[in-house]
Amino acid sequence: MKLFTSILVFLALALIVFNITLLDFNHLFEGESSIALIGIVASFCAIFILLIFRMSKMIEERTKEK
């Protein structure tokens, strides 16, 4: 499971980098730039959710040991 979440975090980071290249800083909230901003925010949300999931699995493993 750790490998799977690591791969998903890497893919989300790759999507952030890709969407940053689509940004037009002169017209940030128009056209493709707004779609890229939405993609960046969604990728950050996915990373946070995956990190929370990984932490919950670590806590679950520790409580099962006791």
Side-chain angles (χ1 to χ4, degrees):
M1 188 61 78
K2 189 174 183 179
L3 177 66
F4 181 67
T5 56
S6 297
I7 290 171
L8 289 178
V9 167
F10 175 74
L11 288 174
L13 287 172
L15 279 173
I16 289 171
V17 171
F18 174 72
N19 283 321
I20 287 174
T21 62
L22 295 177
L23 288 177
D24 179 17
F25 291 103
N26 294 327
H27 305 286
L28 200 56
F29 296 107
E30 297 176 3
E32 277 191 30
S33 291
S34 63
I35 296 170
L37 283 174
I38 293 169
I40 291 170
V41 171
S43 296
F44 274 121
C45 289
I47 289 172
F48 289 135
I49 289 170
L50 288 167
L51 292 177
I52 290 170
F53 177 71
R54 185 183 284 182
M55 284 182 175
S56 70
K57 287 295 179 182
M58 286 175 31
I59 292 170
E60 182 182 355
E61 288 174 5
R62 288 183 183 172
T63 56
K64 282 185 178 180
E65 291 175 0
K66 292 183 178 181

